[in-house]
C-alpha cells in the first residue's frame, strides 16, 4: 500500500505477483569506524521501542479477544488467531498467557475504526483498541491536526475488506517458498493473489500474504496448510481500491503523519492508499 519508506509507510505496502512486478530493496553501504554504542543507539534502541509497542498492541488484542469469546483458544477462534500472530512475532509465552489470564480483571476494551484524510488527499483507516474511547479519539485527532490530516467520513470507501493469510517463508519441511510456487499454491487454494509481507522488514526472509475473499478465509488457510505451507495467521484486512501518488514534499509530510500514528499505542492497525 505504499512505496519504500519508514516502517509506518512500508508496512502496508502491496506487491502483486499476478502483475509480474518485483520489489527491490536498496540500502546504503555500511561505513567503517562506527563504534558499538552508535549501533546500539541508532539501531537497537528504535527497534526495541518498536517491538515494545508491537507487544503492547498484541496484548490489547489478546485481552479483547479473551473478554469477547473466553480465554480458551480451542473454543475461541479469534483468540486462537491472535495467539498465532503473537507467536509469529516471537512474543514471549509468559506475556501471552498473562494477557489472556488478565483479561477478566482488565477494563473493557472497545474496538473502533476511524476514517481520516492526510496530505495530498490520501485515505486512512485506523483500527483502534482502547479502554477510553474519548481519550483515543482526542489523541488521534491531535496527531492528524499536527501533521496535515483530519478525521473524514467516507475514507472507508477507498478500501475493501479482504481475507489475508500470512504464511511463513519456509514450508513445513523447512524449505524456502518461492513466489512462483506460492502463486501456484494460491490458485489451487482459491486465493486471488500473493505478495511479500513487508511488515517483516527485520527478517531476511519475509513471510507471504495470500489474499482472498473474506468468506473464503478459513478454507484458504486450511488448503494452504494442507499443501505443506506454514500459515502464521488469518485476518480480515482493508486493502486499497485505488492508490494516490504524492509529490516528494507531500510524501515526506505523509510519512511523518504515518509514523506519528504508528507511535500511537491505541492504533493496532493502520491502512493507507499511497502508491
Amino acid at each position: 500500500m505504499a512505496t519504500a519508506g519508514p516502517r509506518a509507510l512500508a508496512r502496508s505496502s502491496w506487491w502483486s505477483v499476478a502483475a509480474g512486478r518485483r520489489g527491490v530493496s536498496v540500502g546504503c553501504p555500511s561505513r567503517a569506524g562506527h563504534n558499538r554504542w552508535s549501533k546500539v543507539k541508532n539501531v537497537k534502541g528504535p527497534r526495541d521501542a518498536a517491538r515494545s509497542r508491537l507487544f503492547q498492541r498484541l496484548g490489547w488484542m489478546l485481552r479483547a479477544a479473551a473478554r469477547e469469546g473466553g480465554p480458551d483458544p480451542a473454543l475461541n477462534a479469534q483468540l486462537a488467531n491472535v495467539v498465532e500472530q503473537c507467536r509469529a512475532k516471537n512474543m514471549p509465552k509468559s506475556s501471552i498467557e498473562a494477557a489472556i489470564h488478565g483479561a477478566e480483571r482488565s477494563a473493557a476494551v472497545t474496538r473502533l475504526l476511524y476514517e481520516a484524510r492526510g496530505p495530498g488527499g490520501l485515505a486512512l483507516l485506523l483500527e483502534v483498541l482502547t479502554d477510553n474511547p474519548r481519550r483515543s479519539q482526542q489523541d488521534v485527532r491531535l496527531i492528524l491536526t499536527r501533521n496535515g490530516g483530519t478525521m473524514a467520513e467516507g475514507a472507508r470507501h477507498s478500501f475493501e475488506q479482504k481475507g489475508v493469510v500470512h504464511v511463513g517463508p519456509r514450508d513445513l519441511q523447512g524449505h524456502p517458498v518461492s513466489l512462483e510456487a506460492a502463486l501456484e499454491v494460491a490458485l489451487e487454494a482459491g486465493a486471488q493473489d500473493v505478495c511479500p509481507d513487508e511488515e517483516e522488514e527485520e527478517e531476511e526472509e519475509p513471510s507471504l500474504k495470500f489474499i482472498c475473499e473474506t468468506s473464503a478465509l478459513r478454507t484458504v488457510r486450511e488448503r494452504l496448510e494442507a499443501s505443506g505451507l506454514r500459515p502464521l495467521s488469518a485476518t480480515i484486512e482493508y486493502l486499497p481500491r485505488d492508490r494516490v501518488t504524492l509529490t516528494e514534499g507531500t510524501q515526506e509530510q505523509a510519512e511523518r503523519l504515518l509514523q506519528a500514528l504508528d507511535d500511537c499505542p491505541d492504533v493496532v492497525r493502520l491502512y493507507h492508499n499511497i502508491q
Side-chain angles (χ1 to χ4, degrees):
M1 304 174 198
T3 54
R7 174 179 176 275
L9 187 57
R11 73 176 190 166
S12 300
S13 185
W14 164 263
W15 184 97
S16 175
V17 173
R21 296 190 299 273
R22 301 216 174 199
V24 179
S25 176
V26 180
C28 298
S30 59
R31 299 179 180 178
H34 285 192
N35 60 36
R36 182 177 182 279
W37 168 243
S38 68
K39 292 181 180 179
V40 172
K41 177 181 178 182
N42 297 323
V43 178
K44 188 175 185 300
R47 183 174 297 173
D48 287 348
R51 184 169 292 276
S52 177
R53 289 195 300 272
L54 172 62
F55 287 171
Q56 181 179 5
R57 289 166 179 161
L58 289 172
W60 274 109
M61 295 168 68
L62 287 168
R63 287 191 289 273
R67 284 183 65 94
E68 292 171 3
D72 186 355
L75 303 175
N76 184 341
Q78 182 181 356
L79 177 59
N81 184 55
V82 178
V83 170
E84 280 189 333
Q85 294 180 54
C86 294
R87 290 172 177 166
K89 299 297 183 180
N90 297 317
M91 186 174 182
K93 181 179 178 181
S94 59
S95 299
I96 296 174
E97 293 176 347
I100 294 174
H101 295 155
E104 292 185 0
R105 299 189 301 273
S106 63
V109 178
T110 302
R111 296 178 182 271
L112 301 169
L113 182 68
Y114 293 146
E115 302 173 79
R117 294 284 179 182
L122 73 93
L124 296 165
L125 286 183
L126 295 84
E127 289 187 13
V128 171
L129 282 178
T130 178
D131 58 355
N132 190 329
R134 183 175 181 180
R135 182 208 65 217
S136 295
Q137 185 178 45
Q138 291 175 342
D139 289 347
V140 169
R141 191 184 298 276
L142 181 60
I143 292 172
L144 289 166
T145 301
R146 287 178 173 176
N147 294 277
T150 182
M151 293 284 199
E153 293 185 5
R156 186 183 313 199
H157 300 310
S158 297
F159 301 85
E160 59 181 338
Q161 282 190 313
K162 288 289 186 179
V164 180
V165 182
H166 297 256
V167 172
R170 292 177 177 269
D171 62 22
L172 295 175
Q173 303 301 319
H175 303 131
V177 181
S178 69
L179 288 171
E180 290 76 11
L183 182 55
E184 292 182 7
V185 174
L187 293 174
E188 295 175 358
Q192 299 170 325
D193 208 348
V194 187
C195 60
D197 187 352
E198 297 190 6
E199 292 183 16
E200 307 294 336
E201 58 184 16
E202 294 182 10
E203 302 296 332
E204 294 182 1
E205 297 179 306
S207 58
L208 301 171
K209 296 198 296 187
F210 288 74
I211 314 302
C212 64
E213 294 296 337
T214 57
S215 59
L217 181 59
R218 181 175 179 179
T219 299
V220 170
R221 185 197 187 286
E222 292 174 348
R223 289 178 178 175
L224 291 175
E225 188 169 17
S227 69
L229 299 184
R230 183 168 57 89
L232 303 175
S233 65
T235 59
I236 294 177
E237 301 180 11
Y238 290 90
L239 304 183
R241 297 179 185 275
D242 301 300
R243 297 172 180 79
V244 297
T245 301
L246 304 180
T247 63
E248 183 176 350
T250 305
Q251 181 162 322
E252 291 178 355
Q253 187 180 15
E255 290 174 356
R256 289 193 293 271
L257 169 60
L258 294 176
Q259 185 61 62
L261 291 170
D262 187 55
D263 290 339
C264 181
D266 292 346
V267 177
V268 294
R269 280 191 177 275
L270 170 62
Y271 305 95
H272 64 77
N273 67 338
I274 300 175
Q275 180 67 38

